[in-house]
Amino acid sequence: MAATAVNKLPDSAERGVVIPDNWPGYPLDLFTFPEHYSGDLDCVYIPHGVIMDRTERLARNIMDDLGDRDIVVLCVLKGGYQFCSDLVERIKVLSCNSSKSLLMRVDFIRLKSYLNDRSTQDLQIIGAESLSVLSGKNVLIVEAIVDTGKTMKTLLTHVRAFKPNMIRVAGLLVKRVPNSSGCLPDYVGFEIPNRFVVGYALDYNEYFRDLNHICVISESGKQKYKV
Ligand code: IMP
């Protein structure tokens, strides 16, 4: 079920690009990446160019659905900053080149629930006091990754308390996990297997945000940056 259960895209669009469980990724030596991460990655899982192409299409879907309204884009930090920035950029281009236009304001909220590659029970919301600006507005929450969906569910409860007019969620990645809360974004970039991924602003203990591709971290990478 989509987070807001109102989006009417067909099934394939709801799941996004589905990456199968047996997808091995691409060998690292076929791509460039920062030298300081050599030995810390297993493979390139989703190359940067593919992320950009998919984001362009998500921007078009959002524009088709929400065009000619005012929206507040709520970027979920830290992991969502790159996806949000690229998505907003694509929507801006579409706004200039089509008959529809979307007036966007951008706001930020910071959530933290992960230590190493494990979710903790303790979800911290930093900047929740600023959510009062969402009252009566059309809100597009932009999140990099939905794993169990617990974070998204908690955030939606907080946002709804401020009585926005409408809420939609765009998530770049959704993991196929057995313990999913069933809370899924309205706009999904990729559905991925249950593996810990880094890059494109997704981190492992704050490292790997400076990596363009989405990659699978290696065991030695996990050991190196463990806290
Ligand atoms: P959920 O509450 O289980 O859906 O977890 C969502 C949050 O966990 C995201 O906002 C990320 O901060 C973090 N997360 C989950 N999986 C990954 C991953 O594979 N790489 C990096 N961060 C992740």
Side-chain angles (χ1 to χ4, degrees):
M1 188 183 60
T4 51
V6 267
N7 194 31
K8 297 278 188 297
L9 290 171
D11 257 2
S12 63
E14 272 180 14
R15 291 180 69 189
V17 175
V18 177
I19 299 183
D21 284 341
N22 61 359
W23 170 238
Y26 297 100
L28 289 160
D29 56 6
L30 295 181
F31 293 88
T32 58
F33 62 93
E35 181 59 32
H36 49 255
Y37 290 136
S38 58
D40 302 337
L41 303 166
D42 271 346
C43 64
V44 172
Y45 216 46
I46 312 176
H48 183 253
V50 178
I51 301 168
M52 299 309 286
D53 289 344
R54 180 70 189 131
T55 301
E56 189 167 2
R57 180 56 203 250
L58 289 179
R60 205 173 91 193
N61 292 347
I62 290 167
M63 194 68 178
D64 286 347
D65 292 350
L66 308 181
D68 292 332
R69 298 181 206 214
D70 293 5
I71 64 167
V72 179
V73 175
L74 185 64
C75 172
V76 181
L77 298 173
K78 294 179 183 175
Y81 82 80
Q82 193 66 65
F83 175 49
C84 186
S85 162
D86 288 330
L87 187 66
V88 166
E89 204 52 44
R90 293 299 172 285
I91 295 173
K92 270 160 57 182
V93 171
L94 290 172
S95 272
C96 291
N97 297 309
S98 82
S99 54
K100 281 187 179 177
S101 88
L102 195 57
L103 193 159
M104 287 181 287
R105 275 181 281 174
V106 184
D107 222 312
F108 300 89
I109 189 163
R110 191 173 157 206
L111 305 184
K112 190 165 169 38
S113 66
Y114 258 61
L115 187 66
N116 297 320
D117 59 351
R118 295 270 169 259
S119 176
T120 66
Q121 289 308 308
D122 172 33
L123 175 72
Q124 299 165 38
I125 304 187
I126 302 148
E129 63 285 353
S130 67
L131 293 180
S132 57
V133 299
L134 305 180
S135 173
K137 303 288 188 312
N138 300 314
V139 181
L140 178 68
I141 297 175
V142 180
E143 165 70 297
I145 187 161
V146 175
D147 186 344
T148 62
K150 225 170 44 188
T151 305
M152 185 50 63
K153 213 170 174 177
T154 309
L155 178 60
L156 279 169
T157 305
H158 276 266
V159 172
R160 281 192 193 114
F162 291 94
K163 302 205 178 333
N165 180 51
M166 181 207 84
I167 309 174
R168 294 289 187 277
V169 179
L172 179 65
L173 306 176
V174 170
K175 278 193 200 176
R176 272 191 305 280
V177 289
N179 53 343
S180 167
S181 70
C183 186
L184 298 174
D186 303 279
Y187 305 98
V188 178
F190 301 85
E191 183 190 284
I192 65 168
N194 191 7
R195 303 189 69 175
F196 197 82
V197 291
V198 292
Y200 195 67
L202 284 166
D203 74 310
Y204 175 84
N205 294 331
E206 300 300 330
Y207 289 92
F208 302 100
R209 296 197 201 274
D210 57 336
L211 174 67
N212 275 346
H213 314 293
I214 291 176
C215 297
V216 175
I217 187 171
S218 65
E219 275 312 311
S220 61
K222 282 186 188 172
Q223 288 311 315
K224 187 166 161 187
Y225 297 109
K226 204 177 179 110
V227 292

